[in-house]
Amino acid sequence: MSTYNPYENVKTTIRNAAGKLGLEESDYIISLYPERELKVSFPVRMDNGSVRVFEGYRVQHSSARGPSKGGIRFHQDTDENEVKALAAWMTFKCAVVGIPYGGAKGGVTVDPFTLSRAELERVTRRFAAMITPIIGPERDIPAPDVNTNAEMMGWIMDTYSMLKGYAVPGVVTGKPIDIGGSLGRTEATGRGVSIITQEILKKLNMPIEKTRVVVQGMGNVGSISAKLINELGATIIGVGDVSSCLYKESGLDMSDILRFLSAKKGNLLKDYEQNGAKRITNEELLTLETDVLIPAALENQINAENAANIKAKVIIEAANGPTTVEADTILDSKNIIVVPDILANAGGVVVSYFEWVQNLQSFMWEEDEVNQKLAVKMCKAFDAVYGMHTEKKATLRTSAYMIALQKLVAAYKIRGIFP
Ligand code: GLU
């Protein structure tokens, strides 16, 4: 494995944007450091009676613009540097779309597919208890991320509420609707990706009906992005998950794929066949001849090793941190447009914000209202980033960071330094 450290990636991106804005280091230096980091180790009784100790993290990168906000992931490769980077990305994501939050992230180092349902619940609840001292609706609000879902958010809400002694729906977002979740939250990240895809294609004069799209990752974000973009008329020529990848130049039948994947927990592409679909490797998927490539899996997928072989015209980052700094330079030299994660995948946290607002007001919005408000926020952020890109001749990533950093630096300045 390489010594890839995503947190160094973030720092380089922040410094690039600060340089373009002509900021003094003292204006933004605080954004290079996470505000607070908690590492926890906790025992869980396994179904066979043995005891296993798990490690997890909650990193609050910033609370300059509001309570810190960000998901919790369960993954065997999750470590401190990954969670630190993910927390920082949340700060910049919330700033670029203009929602009143800082950034945070949590993670537990575990492959959740090796746990029984009861074990998964015990790990989730115990982790929630371990981070309870630093989370809360006014402090830090978790949400789903890789391998976590609404049901698990329900367990976190319940654990936190039990420890407090009263129901606190606003402690977590992405909850089931029955306990204060928002309509539209499950689809929100994918919906945001589809909105951003439409916006960038319009700018590039590429009609969506004539666009070929490849999606890496068939989790919540990848599958919903593929479904919505397909419904808008684009042809999905390639998809992949952890187990396998499929390619069909004339277009995959997405409804059939998604029906299969959602039919049973644990269903994977390796067990799926479609007439005329060819099985390819992950590297082949990423380097397919396509108009749009949507990485919707993990970090470090487009890197110095494969960037030169990428043939997509546009990359829309549905995952967090899928492209390394080295890859960015290579893609830019090939005139490949990269719509950065902090803009492209912000739909999830935008609707998380709506959920939290509904919780604080004990009021529920209709789904149409949620979706409309989401579209307004995404388009406004897109226009601002695109405007900066045209004005300053910066990449879309640098432009998005410039906009976010301006807002962050304004908050640092207005609040001043305590004491
Ligand atoms: N995990 C999602 C993200 O990376 C959503 C975070 C949230 O809703 O707080 O943006």
Side-chain angles (χ1 to χ4, degrees):
M1 270 306 278
S2 69
T3 50
Y4 169 70
N5 177 346
Y7 196 68
E8 290 304 319
N9 225 15
V10 182
K11 289 205 286 193
T12 308
T13 315
I14 298 174
R15 285 190 189 283
N16 285 345
K20 269 266 189 212
L21 285 171
L23 295 176
E24 298 285 326
E25 196 183 52
S26 60
D27 292 336
Y28 70 91
I29 189 165
I30 185 73
S31 71
L32 301 174
Y33 296 84
E35 227 171 77
R36 187 178 281 122
E37 294 174 61
L38 176 65
K39 166 152 194 249
V40 297
S41 309
F42 54 93
V44 172
R45 178 84 56 199
M46 306 306 280
D47 290 348
N48 67 6
S50 68
V51 173
R52 205 173 131 188
V53 174
F54 293 87
E55 291 182 329
Y57 309 86
R58 184 74 188 171
V59 176
Q60 297 168 344
H61 174 263
S62 174
S63 62
R65 300 184 61 260
S68 28
K69 183 87 190 78
I72 291 175
R73 68 171 52 180
F74 277 30
H75 196 276
Q76 59 276 18
D77 297 333
T78 287
D79 63 17
E80 190 182 339
N81 281 327
E82 182 190 50
V83 179
K84 271 166 69 177
L86 289 160
W89 284 322
M90 287 310 302
T91 299
F92 285 84
K93 191 184 301 188
C94 294
V96 81
V97 291
I99 54 176
Y101 285 139
K105 205 77 168 202
V108 176
T109 311
V110 60
D111 177 357
F113 297 101
T114 61
L115 302 178
S116 72
R117 196 185 129 84
E119 287 168 344
L120 181 68
E121 178 170 351
R122 289 196 291 276
V123 172
T124 308
R125 285 184 177 278
R126 181 60 190 254
F127 178 64
M130 298 301 287
I131 63 169
T132 282
I134 66 162
I135 63 172
E138 278 109 32
R139 313 177 73 171
D140 178 7
I141 306 118
D145 196 74
V146 172
N147 295 337
T148 57
N149 58 24
E151 182 180 37
M152 293 162 77
M153 297 307 114
W155 294 333
I156 294 175
M157 180 272 189
D158 182 69
T159 303
Y160 184 88
S161 299
M162 286 300 107
L163 293 171
K164 293 287 163 189
Y166 51 90
V168 189
V171 65
V172 72
T173 59
K175 300 176 289 292
I177 307 293
D178 288 325
I179 55 166
S182 175
L183 294 167
R185 174 62 186 86
T186 308
E187 300 78 22
T189 312
R191 187 173 296 281
V193 170
S194 78
I195 294 169
I196 293 294
T197 305
Q198 278 174 285
E199 293 305 301
I200 190 72
L201 292 178
K202 270 192 249 162
K203 292 283 183 207
L204 302 173
N205 289 321
M206 292 166 67
I208 197 153
E209 312 76 46
K210 291 200 183 127
T211 302
R212 293 164 304 165
V213 179
V214 169
V215 183
Q216 182 210 32
M218 281 287 107
N220 168 279
V221 178
S223 61
I224 292 168
S225 302
K227 173 176 180 280
L228 296 177
I229 292 168
N230 190 217
E231 283 170 8
L232 290 168
T235 308
I236 313 290
I237 61 163
V239 295
D241 68 9
V242 277
S243 73
S244 182
C245 303
L246 291 174
Y247 163 64
K248 189 174 173 188
E249 185 57 33
S250 61
L252 292 159
D253 179 345
M254 270 326 290
S255 332
D256 198 57
I257 294 180
L258 297 177
R259 209 174 306 120
F260 170 81
L261 292 179
S262 60
K264 210 170 91 234
K265 205 169 175 259
N267 269 5
L268 290 169
L269 285 177
K270 70 175 170 36
D271 303 312
Y272 174 84
E273 296 287 342
Q274 190 174 116
N275 241 342
K278 209 175 123 197
R279 233 164 250 295
I280 55 173
T281 65
N282 181 51
E283 276 309 305
E284 287 168 331
L285 182 82
L286 293 174
T287 53
L288 277 175
E289 182 83 46
T290 181
D291 300 304
V292 174
L293 170 63
I294 305 187
L298 294 171
E299 306 88 64
N300 191 19
Q301 297 302 299
I302 304 172
N303 48 41
E305 267 118 72
N306 61 9
N309 302 326
I310 302 278
K311 294 176 202 74
K313 298 188 182 81
V314 185
I315 296 174
I316 297 171
E317 295 185 331
N320 289 311
T323 312
T324 64
V325 172
E326 296 77 26
D328 256 343
T329 312
I330 301 170
L331 297 171
D332 193 36
S333 72
K334 290 169 51 119
N335 290 325
I336 296 175
I337 298 189
V338 181
V339 186
D341 47 6
I342 61 166
L343 173 64
N345 73 26
V349 74
V350 167
V351 177
S352 275
Y353 165 59
F354 297 157
E355 178 173 330
W356 178 77
V357 168
Q358 292 171 77
N359 293 155
L360 297 185
Q361 301 179 338
S362 301
F363 189 76
M364 285 195 76
W365 305 351
E366 297 300 330
E367 188 161 355
D368 276 354
E369 189 177 349
V370 172
N371 290 344
Q372 267 167 29
K373 286 191 156 85
L374 168 65
V376 169
K377 282 248 176 268
M378 296 302 292
C379 293
K380 197 171 161 198
F382 178 86
D383 287 345
V385 171
Y386 205 85
M388 182 68 97
H389 157 75
T390 330
E391 190 192 321
K392 301 283 183 198
K393 309 265 169 288
T395 62
L396 289 173
R397 186 181 322 278
T398 305
S399 306
Y401 274 81
M402 286 164 77
I403 287 178
L405 199 54
Q406 278 175 336
K407 295 188 193 177
L408 206 53
V409 167
Y412 295 146
K413 280 216 173 107
I414 295 163
R415 290 184 59 165
I417 295 178
F418 173 86

